[in-house]
Amino acid sequence: MAQKRRRILEEGFRLFSQRGIETVTMPEIAEAAGVGRSSLYRYFSAKSDLVVAVSTWKWEEYIRTQQAANPAAELTNLTAAEHLDRYLELFLELYRNERDILRFNQFFNIYIRSEQPSREQMSPYLDMIGRIMANFHSVYDKAKKDGTVRTDISETEMISSVFHIMLAAVTRYAVGLVYLAEGAGEPEGELLLLKNAILREFTTAPTLPKTP
């Protein structure tokens, strides 16, 4: 059962990220996953349920991968500014290595705004986002002790700004929504400039972490 559900999620993600969500049908996903339509609907009674499940599953999978690569123990001795730098770097890593997630996320946002699923349908996704936001708390908590990150700005405002600005930027480049004139610099260089601008805004001199 678990393997069948995973195949549905995997194929849903593949098709959604390649073609957009609106154009992909439930029968297409069932065929790609090698399951019957009735089996698909036993797992997900509506397309919106499947879309939310795919997004939740893929982001949670990515988070687990990053946590394995960056164990909590390795973050313990970082200053708040260094921890924030590491957090921002994850968005650049998304652009470098996980553009399919960013493309899917763009399609997901469009679909959710259009379909407006209920809060109950969205609850798995919202819970997952809440856990991502909660992970930022350790940065702010450290800042209260070492002073390397500003605490005159509320934690909620800071994480919302960091998360939404960086995610929006890497998504636009990944999807190709930004026009790059001939001779323009590499997109990653521009994203790095944005990352450093955010660091300058939220960290305190002279503790701004050095970026290679």
Side-chain angles (χ1 to χ4, degrees):
M1 294 285 283
Q3 290 182 344
K4 186 180 292 186
R5 185 178 189 277
R6 184 180 178 87
R7 284 203 308 275
I8 294 170
L9 294 173
E10 288 174 342
E11 291 303 320
F13 175 77
R14 182 180 65 82
L15 292 171
F16 291 149
S17 61
Q18 288 178 354
R19 291 170 42 192
I21 295 172
E22 296 286 356
T23 63
V24 178
T25 66
M26 292 289 271
E28 285 180 300
I29 293 172
E31 182 178 358
V35 302
R37 296 185 189 181
S38 59
S39 294
L40 174 62
Y41 281 103
R42 277 199 297 272
Y43 285 102
F44 305 102
S45 59
K47 183 177 178 179
S48 55
D49 292 330
L50 173 59
V51 171
V52 171
V54 168
S55 184
T56 305
W57 162 73
K58 194 62 184 180
W59 278 113
E60 287 182 337
E61 184 179 72
Y62 176 73
I63 292 166
R64 283 193 296 271
T65 300
Q66 291 303 316
Q67 288 175 337
N70 300 277
E74 292 185 7
L75 304 176
T76 302
N77 295 325
L78 297 180
T79 67
E82 290 168 339
H83 200 154
L84 177 59
D85 181 64
R86 186 78 64 91
Y87 188 86
L88 289 166
E89 185 64 24
L90 291 177
F91 291 96
L92 272 65
E93 286 296 319
L94 270 170
Y95 175 74
R96 294 181 191 118
N97 304 315
E98 302 289 350
R99 295 184 192 180
D100 55 344
I101 295 180
L102 295 174
R103 285 193 297 272
F104 170 81
N105 194 63
Q106 174 73 3
F107 297 137
F108 175 79
N109 289 334
I110 294 170
Y111 179 82
I112 292 303
R113 284 197 297 269
S114 172
E115 296 297 316
Q116 297 186 337
S118 68
R119 187 170 183 83
E120 182 179 358
Q121 286 178 297
M122 289 291 292
S123 62
Y125 176 81
L126 295 174
D127 289 345
M128 179 271 299
I129 291 295
R131 291 194 295 274
I132 292 177
M133 298 297 190
N135 287 338
F136 186 82
H137 177 72
S138 58
V139 175
Y140 202 81
D141 197 43
K142 285 180 181 180
K144 293 177 180 178
K145 300 172 184 176
D146 69 20
T148 61
V149 168
R150 294 172 57 186
T151 54
D152 58 313
I153 302 171
S154 74
E155 179 178 353
T156 301
E157 181 183 350
M158 186 180 297
I159 179 56
S160 179
S161 297
V162 168
F163 187 84
H164 290 124
I165 290 171
M166 287 301 299
L167 185 58
V170 295
T171 297
R172 290 182 71 83
Y173 279 107
V175 176
L177 297 177
V178 178
Y179 170 70
L180 297 174
E182 186 177 351
E186 287 296 320
E188 189 171 332
E190 296 179 9
L191 291 171
L192 187 59
L193 287 174
L194 175 61
K195 171 193 167 184
N196 289 338
I198 291 174
L199 283 171
R200 285 193 296 271
E201 175 64 23
F202 291 122
T203 56
T204 57
T207 55
L208 183 67
K210 296 178 181 179
T211 302

